[in-house]
Amino acid sequence: MELFAEFVWQDGKRQQLRVSCEAPGGAAPYQGLLVGLAKMRQKVDELLSPMIQREMQDQIAAAAEEALDGDGDDDDDDAEDENSIDNRANSDEPSAKRPEPPS
């Protein structure tokens, strides 16, 4: 028994992977299939690992760049918060109260 996989990359390039699924001496046929699947997974990991690492590095670089670009925007928000009436600390002036209606 044999497992076969074919990857077709975005540029049209094809890459084939083949793995033998020989059952180790007298083992059940499914055992050979399990061994073959483990081998295929390892080969797929080896094939895709460089691309996954490159993609992760690109994401980290993009996040770092975004963090650096977004730094100045928070200063404007802080200034607006300080001037907001709702966020002011206690004032020395008495609080406004409604006059009580005459009884």
Side-chain angles (χ1 to χ4, degrees), residues 67 69-81:
D69 289 346
D71 236 4
D73 295 342
D74 291 342
D75 293 340
D76 294 338
D77 292 341
D78 292 342
E80 288 174 13
D81 290 344

Side-chain angles (χ1 to χ4, degrees), residues 17 39-51:
L17 300 176
K39 289 179 187 177
M40 181 61 81
R41 179 179 177 177
Q42 182 180 1
K43 286 191 170 209
V44 170
D45 285 345
E46 290 171 2
L47 179 68
L48 299 179
S49 182
M51 290 187 324

Side-chain angles (χ1 to χ4, degrees), residues 19-37:
V19 174
S20 176
C21 298
E22 297 298 322
Y30 294 114
Q31 189 67 27
L33 182 58
L34 290 174
V35 170
L37 286 171

Side-chain angles (χ1 to χ4, degrees), residues 4 6-7 11 25 27 35 44-45 52 65 85-86 89 94 96 99:
F4 173 79
E6 182 176 54
F7 290 88
D11 61 0
V35 170
V44 170
D45 285 345
I52 293 170
E65 184 176 320
I85 294 172
D86 296 334

Side-chain angles (χ1 to χ4, degrees), residues 78-93:
D78 292 342
E80 288 174 13
D81 290 344
E82 289 174 9
N83 293 330
S84 173
I85 294 172
D86 296 334
N87 292 334
R88 285 190 186 162
N90 293 335
S91 173
D92 292 337
E93 297 179 21

